Amino acid sequence: MFYLLGTDIGTSGTKTILMDTEGNLIAQDLQEYDVLTPRPLWAEQWPDVWLEAAKVSIKNTVKKANVPAEKIRGIAISGLYGGSGIPLDENMEPVRPCMIWMDRRAEEETKWVLDTIGEEKLLDITHNGADPYYGFTKILWMKNNEPENWKKTKLFLPPNDYVIYKLTGNIAIDYSSAGNIGGIFDMNNRTWSKEMMDAMGIPMSMMPENIVESTDIIGGLTKEAASELGLSEGMPVIASGIDCGAANIGLGVFESGIYAAAIGTSMCAALISDKPIKGKNLIVWPYLYDAQRLSYYFAGGATAGAIVKWFRQTMCQFEVEAEKNGGENAYDVLNKQAATIPVGSEGLIVLPYFMGERSPIWDSDAKGTMVGLTLAHTKAHIYRAFLEAVAFSLRDAMEATGENLGESIIIAGGVTKSKLWRQIFADVTGYSVVCPIHDVEANMGDVMLAGIGTGLLSYEDVKKWQVLDQKIMPDPQNHEKYNEYYRVYKSVYQNLKQDMKTLSRLSKI
């Protein structure tokens, strides 16, 4: 029996799992951390926080598994969308914190790109539009606002590729991470666009030359890294890629036409397709499987699980303290209370735009909003409305594809721990919902990619792994009610859109 490791560097924590080559979960470990938000709509993280969390989670998992190091034959490392990527100097040391996906400071740069290059040209080459979400606009912000840091920067690397470099000494970037930077990646030819980089004044040398498949081995563990982690020197380290794509792999998604939503801190709801999907409101990059043929078309909330976590931390001190003192899990308490509240939270609508919003509305000024509050509403009503808001956001993302998505969708992530929330997703969307058996989707995908990359597993092998649970069917009556609430959800944003922009302007005065 041989074993494989999968490490996922997330926005709020890094998790590692160890599985055997028959798909059995043996051990896991999670290391948590925070996002730096020095100003409104800014979001940064120091890369060495990711590196240390990755090392500790790998080391702890290996220790917990208690299997011989020589039996562990490979590791794949996925990561959050690191926005600009980590700016590194000539010594491969970080110049500044990494501006991650949720950072939305690059408004002026976005406007410049649209005015100077034009959206049509951008879409033609990159299949993506321009927005502060994208890494290339964040790179331009650094160029324009931090000239000293720009002068020091020799290379940008995504979070997982930085960790891989530190463990192996080798530099590479996978197709999904390259494509997700947006406006400087040519989706037609699956390589960097010299035309776009020249137009934006971004040197080609700042991007890794070696673009690889997610199953490619980047290198072997150095002697120092192997000793620190309790693994064998030279053990293969596989590229993997963007964590939401790795999550889809972990859900067994290897074919065109499957819709899956990975819902954690944010939501990445995507259709995997082998044909172009027209529409500037979707984000697109090469998929982690068959990257030359398949693309990942997604929309989704900048804040999903994040708003529920915010509600728990901000509004639920009693439940949190009770949990700390040995009581029931605070989320379980809130879910039980919310389950007693009718569909639609008795006339309460929440807009989940707590960090602006990316696809499909692309609005940095969008605000978190509650509409319909009365003296009759309780904490349980508001909590349920937060759960419903994320489900409405998913439905909005699904409709943005303009495609027939069949009868079922896959939903993964921490949200699936809540039986109530799973049912709300089914009732709001009208689709049957299938969830994974284990809450290790991106990590599972990493293990699969590691197995394929090392030759221990084939695609046919991993397709046989039982990763999905039974379907959750929508309630037709609830779906009809939610249709009306969804129309209100959509109209509330349109009616408040200009006022939200005014609030953004006033908050900067």
Side-chain angles (χ1 to χ4, degrees):
M1 181 67 70
F2 295 115
Y3 302 89
L4 297 160
L5 288 159
T7 295
D8 177 51
I9 302 164
T11 305
S12 56
T14 290
K15 186 177 190 177
T16 296
I17 67 170
L18 183 141
M19 302 183 75
D20 64 31
T21 49
E22 293 182 355
N24 300 305
L25 180 63
I26 308 300
Q28 59 183 301
D29 186 76
L30 171 67
Q31 298 294 313
E32 296 182 291
Y33 39 75
D34 295 316
V35 175
L36 303 175
T37 52
R39 296 187 189 179
L41 300 183
W42 287 28
E44 305 176 334
Q45 288 177 305
W46 278 104
D48 286 339
V49 172
W50 294 324
L51 177 61
E52 183 61 23
K55 286 180 176 179
V56 173
S57 70
I58 294 168
K59 183 177 180 179
N60 287 352
T61 300
V62 170
K63 187 175 181 180
K64 291 175 184 177
N66 194 29
V67 299
E70 64 271 16
K71 293 284 189 180
I72 304 173
R73 294 301 180 90
I75 181 172
I77 303 175
S78 60
L80 72 155
Y81 172 35
S84 64
I86 303 160
L88 300 166
D89 65 18
E90 59 186 9
N91 298 314
M92 293 297 287
E93 294 299 326
V95 171
R96 70 175 318 283
C98 179
M99 292 176 275
I100 66 171
W101 58 271
M102 72 167 63
D103 188 290
R104 299 196 60 80
R105 74 185 73 181
E107 285 286 352
E108 290 300 316
E109 288 69 28
T110 299
K111 184 176 185 301
W112 179 85
V113 169
L114 292 173
D115 290 345
T116 306
I117 295 173
E119 189 173 53
E120 186 176 346
K121 185 72 170 176
L122 203 61
L123 286 169
D124 182 52
I125 294 174
T126 74
H127 299 193
N128 287 286
D131 185 83
Y133 161 80
Y134 288 106
F136 78 97
T137 58
K138 294 176 172 68
I139 290 171
L140 291 175
W141 183 92
M142 180 179 160
K143 177 185 177 185
N144 293 340
N145 293 276
E146 296 180 350
E148 288 305 311
N149 285 336
W150 180 256
K151 193 180 300 183
K152 294 176 188 175
T153 300
K154 301 301 178 186
L155 185 71
F156 287 94
L157 268 186
N160 63 316
D161 294 312
Y162 173 74
V163 172
I164 290 173
Y165 164 74
K166 288 292 186 178
L167 297 181
T168 67
N170 294 337
I171 298 171
I173 187 171
D174 75 281
Y175 283 103
S176 71
S177 297
N180 207 10
I181 293 174
I184 57 174
F185 187 82
D186 184 338
M187 278 292 293
N188 300 307
N189 297 300
R190 298 309 210 240
T191 190
W192 304 117
S193 169
K194 186 175 187 305
E195 180 180 354
M196 289 292 99
M197 295 181 80
D198 286 348
M200 297 180 199
I202 300 173
M204 289 280 286
S205 60
M206 284 187 167
M207 295 296 128
E209 287 184 37
N210 190 18
I211 307 176
V212 300
E213 293 280 356
S214 293
T215 52
D216 282 353
I217 297 172
I218 305 305
L221 288 180
T222 63
K223 183 177 181 179
E224 180 184 8
S227 176
E228 186 175 359
L229 302 177
L231 294 166
S232 301
E233 181 181 356
M235 188 193 77
V237 181
I238 288 84
S240 191
I242 298 294
D243 56 3
C244 51
N248 276 25
I249 295 292
L251 297 169
V253 179
F254 296 99
E255 307 296 338
S256 178
I258 299 175
Y259 196 89
I263 308 177
T265 302
S266 66
M267 175 169 62
C268 298
L271 177 64
I272 309 306
S273 181
D274 58 3
K275 65 181 188 341
I277 297 176
K278 299 297 182 183
K280 63 183 180 180
N281 290 332
L282 295 173
I283 301 163
V284 57
W285 34 265
Y287 191 45
L288 278 73
Y289 165 64
D290 201 358
Q292 295 293 335
R293 183 177 68 91
L294 294 178
S295 295
Y296 181 97
Y297 291 88
F298 91 93
T303 53
I307 67 170
V308 177
K309 183 178 180 180
W310 174 87
F311 183 86
R312 174 184 177 271
Q313 292 176 331
T314 308
M315 307 294 184
C316 305
Q317 287 86 351
F318 174 80
E319 289 83 359
V320 170
E321 284 302 314
E323 179 184 337
K324 287 179 180 177
N325 292 324
E328 193 174 0
N329 179 279
Y331 285 122
D332 291 342
V333 172
L334 292 167
N335 280 316
K336 286 179 182 178
Q337 294 172 352
T340 67
I341 305 300
V343 164
S345 303
E346 295 192 299
L348 186 59
I349 289 285
V350 168
L351 301 185
Y353 309 140
F354 279 49
M355 281 290 287
E357 188 55 291
R358 52 190 184 187
S359 179
I361 68 169
W362 296 113
D363 187 354
S364 295
D365 296 318
K367 309 293 183 191
T369 309
M370 278 191 284
V371 175
L373 276 171
T374 71
L375 292 177
H377 284 112
T378 65
K379 183 188 295 184
H381 286 88
I382 299 172
Y383 182 74
R384 182 180 179 110
F386 270 65
L387 302 184
E388 292 172 336
V390 179
F392 289 141
S393 178
L394 173 60
R395 179 168 170 176
D396 202 9
M398 293 168 65
E399 292 179 356
T401 67
E403 299 284 318
N404 180 356
L405 304 179
E407 297 180 354
S408 297
I409 59 173
I410 302 172
I411 297 180
V415 302
T416 62
K417 294 177 182 178
S418 167
K419 182 179 178 181
L420 170 64
W421 211 350
R422 294 197 300 266
Q423 188 63 55
I424 288 173
F425 279 118
D427 292 347
V428 166
T429 64
Y431 286 77
S432 59
V433 167
V434 186
C435 299
I437 295 171
H438 301 294
D439 181 26
V440 290
E441 299 80 34
N443 298 93
M444 177 80 79
D446 292 329
V447 167
M448 291 176 174
L449 293 168
I452 294 164
T454 57
L456 287 175
L457 298 170
S458 68
Y459 284 109
E460 294 307 317
D461 290 332
V462 297
K463 284 178 183 178
K464 295 174 185 175
W465 287 8
Q466 183 61 41
V467 295
L468 298 177
D469 212 337
Q470 294 182 340
K471 289 182 181 179
I472 299 156
M473 304 302 296
D475 181 303
Q477 290 184 328
N478 288 349
H479 180 59
E480 284 301 313
K481 293 176 184 176
Y482 274 130
N483 283 341
E484 296 183 63
Y485 277 102
Y486 179 66
R487 283 191 284 271
V488 177
Y489 169 87
K490 297 275 283 184
S491 67
V492 165
Y493 165 69
Q494 291 299 329
N495 290 332
L496 294 179
K497 186 175 181 178
Q498 291 306 313
D499 292 326
M500 289 174 176
K501 291 188 181 301
T502 301
L503 288 174
S504 289
R505 178 178 59 79
L506 291 173
S507 68
K508 295 173 184 176
I509 294 175

